[in-house]
Amino acid sequence: MIESWRWYGDLDPIALAEVAQTGARGIVTALHEIPYGEVWGTEAIAARKARVSGAGFDWVVVESLPIHENIKTGTGDLAPLFANYRQSMANLAANGITTICYNFMPLLDWTRTDLTAPVAGGGTCLRFEAHRMAAFEVHMLGRREAEADYTPDVLNRAAAWYQQATEGDRDALLASIMAGLPGAFDRYDIPGLRRALAGYADIDRTALRANYKRFLEEVIPAANDLGMRFCVHPDDPPRDILGLPRIVSDADDIGWIMNAVNAPANGLTLCAGSLGANPANDVPAIAARFADRIHFAHLRNVRKDADGSFEEAAHLDGDTDMVALCAVLLAEEARRRDAGRADHAIPFRPDHGHHILSDLDRTLIPGYPLIGRLRGLAELRGVMRALSHGRAHG
């Protein structure tokens, strides 16, 4: 597998020279500075690739080429947005970059309520606390319909938290929820978030699926022509949130997507953490079912609570059997290699990580520390090396 590292370009306080010391040789990046819906120009792509190559890396995956919200809601004249998207694809392909990770989550990307939850032994992690999310939805946002999404116990704890929370506590909660948005665009205050949510008032699961299918029909034929691979990232968390439908949360959702436009280019980013936050998901089994459509993998782990809360665990210590998952991915690589595919290797990156040691003294992108991800990469590297050795000598 191709050991890779997510890097945010000029927005990233971690330098490529530091990444080089992790041993990773693939870079996963994007042009986060370009607003959604605008074309990624050839010169900008080439400049980013030159920086990556000049530091000794290959740019192996785009994460991500964002989808404009109008495409998700199906509103306005979408032809220019689809044309711009396909042009960005063509410009990436012209620079030899052919794998695109993307998501179809309405409005928000990954969502957490705490960016610095303590972990045993010291350090911090990202956490989704059910009662804090309920407090945000019901008491701060004023979305009373949210009461139906939580148990009475969670709602009671939400009310208690809100009553004792300071203005600083509430501001910190909003900032944590907004932190999952990549790049420099579309951060919301409470009134702004209410207005943005209003744009989804008439969008239910069926409507969002229809808009997603239209997107796939617009871009996957172009991906086939360009020799590109698209890989959808699962919802994070894998549940409806803020009244917004989530449609990439389990095996049934993934199966629907793969069949909506049934082509090898229409694939999956196997995110162990996102899928693992749903108690009903068996992540290694999902990986095995869709192995031939996995074009990219995010390897991280989560530890779940009964009330719907979860937090980022150490890469080998959460609820997902990471060794079993790695075995599935290595077996799929071997199958592709045996079939004579030159592109048999699957890029992966250690996703998220605990903020530990010197990470705690730096201002870093939440969830993307240096030492914490290095620890995860080293652990995953060891697992894969052992499994590969066993396969070769078994």
Side-chain angles (χ1 to χ4, degrees), residues 232-267:
V232 64
H233 187 287
D235 302 324
D236 187 9
R239 47 161 289 180
D240 292 358
I241 197 166
L242 298 174
L244 300 170
R246 294 290 183 95
I247 59 171
V248 195
S249 293
D250 58 25
D252 289 342
D253 288 344
I254 296 168
W256 180 89
I257 294 161
M258 298 300 105
N259 290 322
V261 176
N262 192 1
N266 180 25

PDB file of all heavy atoms in Angstrom, residues 232-267:
ATOM      1  N   VAL A 232     -15.873   8.239  -3.059  1.00  0.00           N
ATOM      2  CA  VAL A 232     -16.692   9.001  -2.118  1.00  0.00           C
ATOM      3  C   VAL A 232     -16.277   8.693  -0.689  1.00  0.00           C
ATOM      4  O   VAL A 232     -15.993   7.546  -0.334  1.00  0.00           O
ATOM      5  CB  VAL A 232     -18.190   8.718  -2.332  1.00  0.00           C
ATOM      6  CG1 VAL A 232     -18.541   7.260  -2.033  1.00  0.00           C
ATOM      7  CG2 VAL A 232     -19.042   9.660  -1.487  1.00  0.00           C
ATOM      8  N   HIS A 233     -16.237   9.743   0.122  1.00  0.00           N
ATOM      9  CA  HIS A 233     -15.926   9.597   1.544  1.00  0.00           C
ATOM     10  C   HIS A 233     -17.225   9.425   2.318  1.00  0.00           C
ATOM     11  O   HIS A 233     -18.173  10.190   2.110  1.00  0.00           O
ATOM     12  CB  HIS A 233     -15.173  10.838   2.034  1.00  0.00           C
ATOM     13  CG  HIS A 233     -14.666  10.723   3.435  1.00  0.00           C
ATOM     14  ND1 HIS A 233     -15.492  10.782   4.542  1.00  0.00           N
ATOM     15  CD2 HIS A 233     -13.418  10.550   3.924  1.00  0.00           C
ATOM     16  CE1 HIS A 233     -14.770  10.651   5.638  1.00  0.00           C
ATOM     17  NE2 HIS A 233     -13.509  10.497   5.283  1.00  0.00           N
ATOM     18  N   PRO A 234     -17.307   8.463   3.221  1.00  0.00           N
ATOM     19  CA  PRO A 234     -18.537   8.281   4.006  1.00  0.00           C
ATOM     20  C   PRO A 234     -18.836   9.479   4.903  1.00  0.00           C
ATOM     21  O   PRO A 234     -17.970  10.302   5.208  1.00  0.00           O
ATOM     22  CB  PRO A 234     -18.238   7.029   4.841  1.00  0.00           C
ATOM     23  CG  PRO A 234     -17.135   6.331   4.109  1.00  0.00           C
ATOM     24  CD  PRO A 234     -16.317   7.411   3.484  1.00  0.00           C
ATOM     25  N   ASP A 235     -20.091   9.548   5.340  1.00  0.00           N
ATOM     26  CA  ASP A 235     -20.534  10.612   6.233  1.00  0.00           C
ATOM     27  C   ASP A 235     -19.849  10.501   7.586  1.00  0.00           C
ATOM     28  O   ASP A 235     -19.573   9.401   8.077  1.00  0.00           O
ATOM     29  CB  ASP A 235     -22.046  10.516   6.446  1.00  0.00           C
ATOM     30  CG  ASP A 235     -22.821  10.600   5.144  1.00  0.00           C
ATOM     31  OD1 ASP A 235     -22.396  11.342   4.255  1.00  0.00           O
ATOM     32  OD2 ASP A 235     -23.868   9.914   5.032  1.00  0.00           O
ATOM     33  N   ASP A 236     -19.598  11.666   8.192  1.00  0.00           N
ATOM     34  CA  ASP A 236     -18.891  11.693   9.472  1.00  0.00           C
ATOM     35  C   ASP A 236     -19.498  12.779  10.367  1.00  0.00           C
ATOM     36  O   ASP A 236     -19.218  13.955  10.162  1.00  0.00           O
ATOM     37  CB  ASP A 236     -17.410  11.967   9.226  1.00  0.00           C
ATOM     38  CG  ASP A 236     -16.573  11.844  10.491  1.00  0.00           C
ATOM     39  OD1 ASP A 236     -17.115  11.389  11.506  1.00  0.00           O
ATOM     40  OD2 ASP A 236     -15.384  12.206  10.452  1.00  0.00           O
ATOM     41  N   PRO A 237     -20.327  12.422  11.349  1.00  0.00           N
ATOM     42  CA  PRO A 237     -20.703  11.062  11.721  1.00  0.00           C
ATOM     43  C   PRO A 237     -21.730  10.461  10.757  1.00  0.00           C
ATOM     44  O   PRO A 237     -22.410  11.203  10.050  1.00  0.00           O
ATOM     45  CB  PRO A 237     -21.304  11.227  13.122  1.00  0.00           C
ATOM     46  CG  PRO A 237     -21.835  12.616  13.139  1.00  0.00           C
ATOM     47  CD  PRO A 237     -20.896  13.426  12.283  1.00  0.00           C
ATOM     48  N   PRO A 238     -21.834   9.128  10.753  1.00  0.00           N
ATOM     49  CA  PRO A 238     -22.723   8.443   9.818  1.00  0.00           C
ATOM     50  C   PRO A 238     -24.167   8.428  10.325  1.00  0.00           C
ATOM     51  O   PRO A 238     -24.737   7.384  10.634  1.00  0.00           O
ATOM     52  CB  PRO A 238     -22.125   7.039   9.748  1.00  0.00           C
ATOM     53  CG  PRO A 238     -21.526   6.832  11.102  1.00  0.00           C
ATOM     54  CD  PRO A 238     -21.025   8.186  11.547  1.00  0.00           C
ATOM     55  N   ARG A 239     -24.771   9.606  10.390  1.00  0.00           N
ATOM     56  CA  ARG A 239     -26.141   9.760  10.868  1.00  0.00           C
ATOM     57  C   ARG A 239     -26.633  11.129  10.415  1.00  0.00           C
ATOM     58  O   ARG A 239     -25.835  12.029  10.133  1.00  0.00           O
ATOM     59  CB  ARG A 239     -26.204   9.692  12.399  1.00  0.00           C
ATOM     60  CG  ARG A 239     -25.173  10.541  13.108  1.00  0.00           C
ATOM     61  CD  ARG A 239     -25.506  10.828  14.560  1.00  0.00           C
ATOM     62  NE  ARG A 239     -26.617  11.765  14.687  1.00  0.00           N
ATOM     63  CZ  ARG A 239     -27.092  12.172  15.858  1.00  0.00           C
ATOM     64  NH1 ARG A 239     -26.573  11.718  16.979  1.00  0.00           N
ATOM     65  NH2 ARG A 239     -28.093  13.030  15.910  1.00  0.00           N
ATOM     66  N   ASP A 240     -27.959  11.276  10.322  1.00  0.00           N
ATOM     67  CA  ASP A 240     -28.513  12.590  10.013  1.00  0.00           C
ATOM     68  C   ASP A 240     -28.111  13.570  11.104  1.00  0.00           C
ATOM     69  O   ASP A 240     -28.039  13.215  12.288  1.00  0.00           O
ATOM     70  CB  ASP A 240     -30.035  12.518   9.933  1.00  0.00           C
ATOM     71  CG  ASP A 240     -30.525  11.712   8.738  1.00  0.00           C
ATOM     72  OD1 ASP A 240     -29.685  11.245   7.955  1.00  0.00           O
ATOM     73  OD2 ASP A 240     -31.752  11.551   8.606  1.00  0.00           O
ATOM     74  N   ILE A 241     -27.833  14.812  10.722  1.00  0.00           N
ATOM     75  CA  ILE A 241     -27.371  15.803  11.683  1.00  0.00           C
ATOM     76  C   ILE A 241     -27.896  17.167  11.264  1.00  0.00           C
ATOM     77  O   ILE A 241     -27.982  17.473  10.068  1.00  0.00           O
ATOM     78  CB  ILE A 241     -25.834  15.781  11.772  1.00  0.00           C
ATOM     79  CG1 ILE A 241     -25.352  16.487  13.021  1.00  0.00           C
ATOM     80  CG2 ILE A 241     -25.173  16.336  10.544  1.00  0.00           C
ATOM     81  CD1 ILE A 241     -23.885  16.216  13.334  1.00  0.00           C
ATOM     82  N   LEU A 242     -28.325  17.971  12.237  1.00  0.00           N
ATOM     83  CA  LEU A 242     -28.883  19.299  11.999  1.00  0.00           C
ATOM     84  C   LEU A 242     -30.104  19.235  11.092  1.00  0.00           C
ATOM     85  O   LEU A 242     -30.421  20.192  10.384  1.00  0.00           O
ATOM     86  CB  LEU A 242     -27.827  20.232  11.399  1.00  0.00           C
ATOM     87  CG  LEU A 242     -26.595  20.518  12.254  1.00  0.00           C
ATOM     88  CD1 LEU A 242     -25.577  21.326  11.454  1.00  0.00           C
ATOM     89  CD2 LEU A 242     -26.986  21.268  13.520  1.00  0.00           C
ATOM     90  N   GLY A 243     -30.781  18.088  11.089  1.00  0.00           N
ATOM     91  CA  GLY A 243     -31.928  17.908  10.218  1.00  0.00           C
ATOM     92  C   GLY A 243     -31.562  17.622   8.779  1.00  0.00           C
ATOM     93  O   GLY A 243     -32.442  17.537   7.915  1.00  0.00           O
ATOM     94  N   LEU A 244     -30.275  17.473   8.497  1.00  0.00           N
ATOM     95  CA  LEU A 244     -29.797  17.209   7.143  1.00  0.00           C
ATOM     96  C   LEU A 244     -29.665  15.705   6.919  1.00  0.00           C
ATOM     97  O   LEU A 244     -29.100  14.996   7.752  1.00  0.00           O
ATOM     98  CB  LEU A 244     -28.440  17.871   6.923  1.00  0.00           C
ATOM     99  CG  LEU A 244     -28.393  19.391   7.090  1.00  0.00           C
ATOM    100  CD1 LEU A 244     -26.946  19.870   7.093  1.00  0.00           C
ATOM    101  CD2 LEU A 244     -29.179  20.073   5.992  1.00  0.00           C
ATOM    102  N   PRO A 245     -30.159  15.212   5.792  1.00  0.00           N
ATOM    103  CA  PRO A 245     -30.018  13.782   5.532  1.00  0.00           C
ATOM    104  C   PRO A 245     -28.579  13.421   5.200  1.00  0.00           C
ATOM    105  O   PRO A 245     -27.861  14.192   4.556  1.00  0.00           O
ATOM    106  CB  PRO A 245     -30.938  13.552   4.329  1.00  0.00           C
ATOM    107  CG  PRO A 245     -30.981  14.879   3.637  1.00  0.00           C
ATOM    108  CD  PRO A 245     -30.869  15.912   4.712  1.00  0.00           C
ATOM    109  N   ARG A 246     -28.161  12.270   5.650  1.00  0.00           N
ATOM    110  CA  ARG A 246     -26.856  11.714   5.291  1.00  0.00           C
ATOM    111  C   ARG A 246     -27.112  10.433   4.507  1.00  0.00           C
ATOM    112  O   ARG A 246     -27.896   9.573   4.948  1.00  0.00           O
ATOM    113  CB  ARG A 246     -26.028  11.432   6.541  1.00  0.00           C
ATOM    114  CG  ARG A 246     -25.631  12.703   7.341  1.00  0.00           C
ATOM    115  CD  ARG A 246     -24.613  13.530   6.594  1.00  0.00           C
ATOM    116  NE  ARG A 246     -24.143  14.702   7.307  1.00  0.00           N
ATOM    117  CZ  ARG A 246     -23.041  14.763   8.057  1.00  0.00           C
ATOM    118  NH1 ARG A 246     -22.305  13.682   8.218  1.00  0.00           N
ATOM    119  NH2 ARG A 246     -22.681  15.886   8.625  1.00  0.00           N
ATOM    120  N   ILE A 247     -26.455  10.283   3.373  1.00  0.00           N
ATOM    121  CA  ILE A 247     -26.778   9.183   2.459  1.00  0.00           C
ATOM    122  C   ILE A 247     -25.571   8.334   2.100  1.00  0.00           C
ATOM    123  O   ILE A 247     -25.616   7.540   1.163  1.00  0.00           O
ATOM    124  CB  ILE A 247     -27.457   9.716   1.177  1.00  0.00           C
ATOM    125  CG1 ILE A 247     -26.555  10.715   0.450  1.00  0.00           C
ATOM    126  CG2 ILE A 247     -28.807  10.346   1.499  1.00  0.00           C
ATOM    127  CD1 ILE A 247     -27.078  11.121  -0.927  1.00  0.00           C
ATOM    128  N   VAL A 248     -24.469   8.459   2.883  1.00  0.00           N
ATOM    129  CA  VAL A 248     -23.283   7.613   2.663  1.00  0.00           C
ATOM    130  C   VAL A 248     -22.829   7.114   4.029  1.00  0.00           C
ATOM    131  O   VAL A 248     -21.725   7.392   4.483  1.00  0.00           O
ATOM    132  CB  VAL A 248     -22.145   8.387   1.959  1.00  0.00           C
ATOM    133  CG1 VAL A 248     -21.093   7.398   1.427  1.00  0.00           C
ATOM    134  CG2 VAL A 248     -22.662   9.261   0.830  1.00  0.00           C
ATOM    135  N   SER A 249     -23.699   6.361   4.688  1.00  0.00           N
ATOM    136  CA  SER A 249     -23.463   6.014   6.091  1.00  0.00           C
ATOM    137  C   SER A 249     -23.318   4.534   6.382  1.00  0.00           C
ATOM    138  O   SER A 249     -22.864   4.168   7.463  1.00  0.00           O
ATOM    139  CB  SER A 249     -24.601   6.581   6.967  1.00  0.00           C
ATOM    140  OG  SER A 249     -24.573   7.993   6.986  1.00  0.00           O
ATOM    141  N   ASP A 250     -23.704   3.662   5.452  1.00  0.00           N
ATOM    142  CA  ASP A 250     -23.621   2.230   5.725  1.00  0.00           C
ATOM    143  C   ASP A 250     -23.475   1.455   4.417  1.00  0.00           C
ATOM    144  O   ASP A 250     -23.394   2.043   3.332  1.00  0.00           O
ATOM    145  CB  ASP A 250     -24.837   1.751   6.533  1.00  0.00           C
ATOM    146  CG  ASP A 250     -26.173   2.029   5.854  1.00  0.00           C
ATOM    147  OD1 ASP A 250     -26.205   2.153   4.613  1.00  0.00           O
ATOM    148  OD2 ASP A 250     -27.194   2.123   6.564  1.00  0.00           O
ATOM    149  N   ALA A 251     -23.472   0.133   4.536  1.00  0.00           N
ATOM    150  CA  ALA A 251     -23.239  -0.700   3.354  1.00  0.00           C
ATOM    151  C   ALA A 251     -24.346  -0.547   2.324  1.00  0.00           C
ATOM    152  O   ALA A 251     -24.081  -0.546   1.110  1.00  0.00           O
ATOM    153  CB  ALA A 251     -23.102  -2.165   3.777  1.00  0.00           C
ATOM    154  N   ASP A 252     -25.593  -0.393   2.777  1.00  0.00           N
ATOM    155  CA  ASP A 252     -26.684  -0.220   1.824  1.00  0.00           C
ATOM    156  C   ASP A 252     -26.519   1.081   1.037  1.00  0.00           C
ATOM    157  O   ASP A 252     -26.756   1.111  -0.177  1.00  0.00           O
ATOM    158  CB  ASP A 252     -28.030  -0.233   2.550  1.00  0.00           C
ATOM    159  CG  ASP A 252     -28.403  -1.608   3.075  1.00  0.00           C
ATOM    160  OD1 ASP A 252     -27.819  -2.606   2.599  1.00  0.00           O
ATOM    161  OD2 ASP A 252     -29.275  -1.688   3.958  1.00  0.00           O
ATOM    162  N   ASP A 253     -26.132   2.148   1.731  1.00  0.00           N
ATOM    163  CA  ASP A 253     -25.887   3.421   1.036  1.00  0.00           C
ATOM    164  C   ASP A 253     -24.788   3.272  -0.002  1.00  0.00           C
ATOM    165  O   ASP A 253     -24.913   3.747  -1.140  1.00  0.00           O
ATOM    166  CB  ASP A 253     -25.485   4.500   2.039  1.00  0.00           C
ATOM    167  CG  ASP A 253     -26.628   4.980   2.914  1.00  0.00           C
ATOM    168  OD1 ASP A 253     -27.803   4.719   2.568  1.00  0.00           O
ATOM    169  OD2 ASP A 253     -26.355   5.617   3.947  1.00  0.00           O
ATOM    170  N   ILE A 254     -23.703   2.632   0.396  1.00  0.00           N
ATOM    171  CA  ILE A 254     -22.576   2.476  -0.525  1.00  0.00           C
ATOM    172  C   ILE A 254     -22.985   1.638  -1.733  1.00  0.00           C
ATOM    173  O   ILE A 254     -22.632   1.953  -2.878  1.00  0.00           O
ATOM    174  CB  ILE A 254     -21.373   1.861   0.202  1.00  0.00           C
ATOM    175  CG1 ILE A 254     -20.870   2.818   1.288  1.00  0.00           C
ATOM    176  CG2 ILE A 254     -20.244   1.534  -0.783  1.00  0.00           C
ATOM    177  CD1 ILE A 254     -19.883   2.194   2.253  1.00  0.00           C
ATOM    178  N   GLY A 255     -23.753   0.585  -1.485  1.00  0.00           N
ATOM    179  CA  GLY A 255     -24.224  -0.230  -2.599  1.00  0.00           C
ATOM    180  C   GLY A 255     -25.071   0.560  -3.569  1.00  0.00           C
ATOM    181  O   GLY A 255     -24.946   0.400  -4.797  1.00  0.00           O
ATOM    182  N   TRP A 256     -25.942   1.421  -3.043  1.00  0.00           N
ATOM    183  CA  TRP A 256     -26.763   2.265  -3.912  1.00  0.00           C
ATOM    184  C   TRP A 256     -25.885   3.162  -4.769  1.00  0.00           C
ATOM    185  O   TRP A 256     -26.121   3.322  -5.981  1.00  0.00           O
ATOM    186  CB  TRP A 256     -27.724   3.103  -3.066  1.00  0.00           C
ATOM    187  CG  TRP A 256     -28.593   3.992  -3.899  1.00  0.00           C
ATOM    188  CD1 TRP A 256     -29.810   3.693  -4.439  1.00  0.00           C
ATOM    189  CD2 TRP A 256     -28.287   5.333  -4.338  1.00  0.00           C
ATOM    190  NE1 TRP A 256     -30.284   4.752  -5.174  1.00  0.00           N
ATOM    191  CE2 TRP A 256     -29.370   5.775  -5.137  1.00  0.00           C
ATOM    192  CE3 TRP A 256     -27.206   6.184  -4.131  1.00  0.00           C
ATOM    193  CZ2 TRP A 256     -29.402   7.041  -5.714  1.00  0.00           C
ATOM    194  CZ3 TRP A 256     -27.226   7.445  -4.713  1.00  0.00           C
ATOM    195  CH2 TRP A 256     -28.312   7.873  -5.493  1.00  0.00           C
ATOM    196  N   ILE A 257     -24.859   3.767  -4.170  1.00  0.00           N
ATOM    197  CA  ILE A 257     -23.973   4.675  -4.902  1.00  0.00           C
ATOM    198  C   ILE A 257     -23.221   3.925  -5.994  1.00  0.00           C
ATOM    199  O   ILE A 257     -23.115   4.397  -7.135  1.00  0.00           O
ATOM    200  CB  ILE A 257     -22.985   5.338  -3.921  1.00  0.00           C
ATOM    201  CG1 ILE A 257     -23.733   6.264  -2.952  1.00  0.00           C
ATOM    202  CG2 ILE A 257     -21.901   6.112  -4.669  1.00  0.00           C
ATOM    203  CD1 ILE A 257     -22.945   6.596  -1.709  1.00  0.00           C
ATOM    204  N   MET A 258     -22.672   2.770  -5.678  1.00  0.00           N
ATOM    205  CA  MET A 258     -21.910   2.019  -6.665  1.00  0.00           C
ATOM    206  C   MET A 258     -22.784   1.611  -7.852  1.00  0.00           C
ATOM    207  O   MET A 258     -22.314   1.549  -8.993  1.00  0.00           O
ATOM    208  CB  MET A 258     -21.294   0.764  -6.031  1.00  0.00           C
ATOM    209  CG  MET A 258     -20.303   1.023  -4.892  1.00  0.00           C
ATOM    210  SD  MET A 258     -18.853   2.009  -5.317  1.00  0.00           S
ATOM    211  CE  MET A 258     -19.274   3.590  -4.553  1.00  0.00           C
ATOM    212  N   ASN A 259     -24.082   1.365  -7.596  1.00  0.00           N
ATOM    213  CA  ASN A 259     -24.988   0.960  -8.667  1.00  0.00           C
ATOM    214  C   ASN A 259     -25.628   2.142  -9.378  1.00  0.00           C
ATOM    215  O   ASN A 259     -26.157   1.975 -10.487  1.00  0.00           O
ATOM    216  CB  ASN A 259     -26.090   0.053  -8.106  1.00  0.00           C
ATOM    217  CG  ASN A 259     -25.566  -1.311  -7.703  1.00  0.00           C
ATOM    218  OD1 ASN A 259     -24.700  -1.858  -8.378  1.00  0.00           O
ATOM    219  ND2 ASN A 259     -26.058  -1.851  -6.602  1.00  0.00           N
ATOM    220  N   ALA A 260     -25.593   3.332  -8.764  1.00  0.00           N
ATOM    221  CA  ALA A 260     -26.217   4.505  -9.390  1.00  0.00           C
ATOM    222  C   ALA A 260     -25.561   4.797 -10.740  1.00  0.00           C
ATOM    223  O   ALA A 260     -26.236   5.151 -11.710  1.00  0.00           O
ATOM    224  CB  ALA A 260     -26.113   5.715  -8.463  1.00  0.00           C
ATOM    225  N   VAL A 261     -24.252   4.693 -10.791  1.00  0.00           N
ATOM    226  CA  VAL A 261     -23.500   4.698 -12.051  1.00  0.00           C
ATOM    227  C   VAL A 261     -22.479   3.585 -11.901  1.00  0.00           C
ATOM    228  O   VAL A 261     -21.438   3.753 -11.264  1.00  0.00           O
ATOM    229  CB  VAL A 261     -22.815   6.050 -12.323  1.00  0.00           C
ATOM    230  CG1 VAL A 261     -21.960   5.967 -13.584  1.00  0.00           C
ATOM    231  CG2 VAL A 261     -23.842   7.165 -12.456  1.00  0.00           C
ATOM    232  N   ASN A 262     -22.806   2.442 -12.465  1.00  0.00           N
ATOM    233  CA  ASN A 262     -22.024   1.235 -12.202  1.00  0.00           C
ATOM    234  C   ASN A 262     -20.799   1.195 -13.106  1.00  0.00           C
ATOM    235  O   ASN A 262     -20.834   0.677 -14.222  1.00  0.00           O
ATOM    236  CB  ASN A 262     -22.889  -0.007 -12.410  1.00  0.00           C
ATOM    237  CG  ASN A 262     -22.221  -1.255 -11.862  1.00  0.00           C
ATOM    238  OD1 ASN A 262     -21.117  -1.202 -11.316  1.00  0.00           O
ATOM    239  ND2 ASN A 262     -22.889  -2.385 -12.005  1.00  0.00           N
ATOM    240  N   ALA A 263     -19.718   1.809 -12.607  1.00  0.00           N
ATOM    241  CA  ALA A 263     -18.467   1.876 -13.363  1.00  0.00           C
ATOM    242  C   ALA A 263     -17.316   1.822 -12.376  1.00  0.00           C
ATOM    243  O   ALA A 263     -17.435   2.337 -11.260  1.00  0.00           O
ATOM    244  CB  ALA A 263     -18.406   3.169 -14.177  1.00  0.00           C
ATOM    245  N   PRO A 264     -16.193   1.197 -12.750  1.00  0.00           N
ATOM    246  CA  PRO A 264     -15.050   1.122 -11.828  1.00  0.00           C
ATOM    247  C   PRO A 264     -14.579   2.484 -11.341  1.00  0.00           C
ATOM    248  O   PRO A 264     -14.071   2.602 -10.222  1.00  0.00           O
ATOM    249  CB  PRO A 264     -13.974   0.421 -12.669  1.00  0.00           C
ATOM    250  CG  PRO A 264     -14.735  -0.379 -13.666  1.00  0.00           C
ATOM    251  CD  PRO A 264     -15.947   0.445 -13.996  1.00  0.00           C
ATOM    252  N   ALA A 265     -14.746   3.524 -12.155  1.00  0.00           N
ATOM    253  CA  ALA A 265     -14.310   4.860 -11.740  1.00  0.00           C
ATOM    254  C   ALA A 265     -15.131   5.403 -10.583  1.00  0.00           C
ATOM    255  O   ALA A 265     -14.687   6.305  -9.871  1.00  0.00           O
ATOM    256  CB  ALA A 265     -14.392   5.828 -12.915  1.00  0.00           C
ATOM    257  N   ASN A 266     -16.333   4.879 -10.394  1.00  0.00           N
ATOM    258  CA  ASN A 266     -17.212   5.310  -9.304  1.00  0.00           C
ATOM    259  C   ASN A 266     -16.912   4.444  -8.096  1.00  0.00           C
ATOM    260  O   ASN A 266     -17.438   3.344  -7.952  1.00  0.00           O
ATOM    261  CB  ASN A 266     -18.678   5.172  -9.719  1.00  0.00           C
ATOM    262  CG  ASN A 266     -19.633   5.604  -8.616  1.00  0.00           C
ATOM    263  OD1 ASN A 266     -19.279   6.398  -7.744  1.00  0.00           O
ATOM    264  ND2 ASN A 266     -20.851   5.074  -8.651  1.00  0.00           N
ATOM    265  N   GLY A 267     -16.020   4.929  -7.216  1.00  0.00           N
ATOM    266  CA  GLY A 267     -15.537   4.089  -6.137  1.00  0.00           C
ATOM    267  C   GLY A 267     -15.687   4.702  -4.765  1.00  0.00           C
ATOM    268  O   GLY A 267     -16.410   5.685  -4.550  1.00  0.00           O
TER     269      GLY A 267
END
